[in-house]
């Protein structure tokens, strides 16, 4: 937004990020600097999609790490057969 559209207001940039993150894309067209500028809306939406896609891969990396740790921890789990019965801690009526 700063280099291509010459929008330097932190408030407008913050609003664009929040609207894109909340999937309120039609509201982007009301922001100053985007409203009335041909191609600006599409450029900001594409930048938001690209940022989301690039950031989301780290969520997968972290989930793989937690999954590996949980599998390793499960391998060292002791015998739990004594806990596998029909006992219920709290009866809800």
């Amino acid at each position: 937004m700063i280099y291509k559209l010459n929008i330097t207001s932190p408030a407008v940039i913050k609003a664009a990020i929040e609207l894109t993150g909340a999937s309120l894309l039609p509201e982007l067209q009301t922001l100053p600097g985007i409203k009335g500028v041909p191609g600006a809306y599409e450029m900001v939406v594409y930048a938001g999609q690209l940022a989301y896609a690039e950031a989301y891969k780290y969520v997968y990396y972290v989930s793989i790490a937690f999954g590996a740790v949980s599998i390793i921890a499960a391998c060292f789990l002791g015998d739990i057969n004594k806990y596998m019965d029909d006992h219920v801690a709290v009866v809800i009526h």
Side-chain angles (χ1 to χ4, degrees):
M1 291 178 69
I2 294 173
Y3 301 114
K4 300 278 185 177
L5 299 175
N6 201 22
I7 299 173
T8 57
S9 170
V12 174
I13 295 172
K14 180 180 183 236
I17 292 170
E18 289 174 351
L19 290 172
T20 304
S23 296
L24 299 172
L25 299 180
E27 298 293 322
L28 283 173
Q29 296 174 347
T30 63
L31 293 176
I34 298 174
K35 183 179 182 179
V37 177
Y41 170 75
E42 291 81 11
M43 190 181 306
V44 172
V45 169
Y46 177 71
Q49 291 171 343
L50 185 63
Y52 187 79
E54 289 294 319
Y56 211 69
K57 65 183 173 184
Y58 295 109
V59 174
Y60 285 113
Y61 294 153
V62 170
S63 69
I64 290 170
F66 276 109
V69 168
S70 64
I71 290 171
I72 292 170
C75 290
F76 291 103
L77 189 63
D79 185 23
I80 61 168
N81 281 334
K82 64 181 178 181
Y83 301 114
M84 305 300 287
D85 58 6
D86 291 331
H87 176 73
V88 178
V90 177
V91 177
I92 301 175
H93 294 282

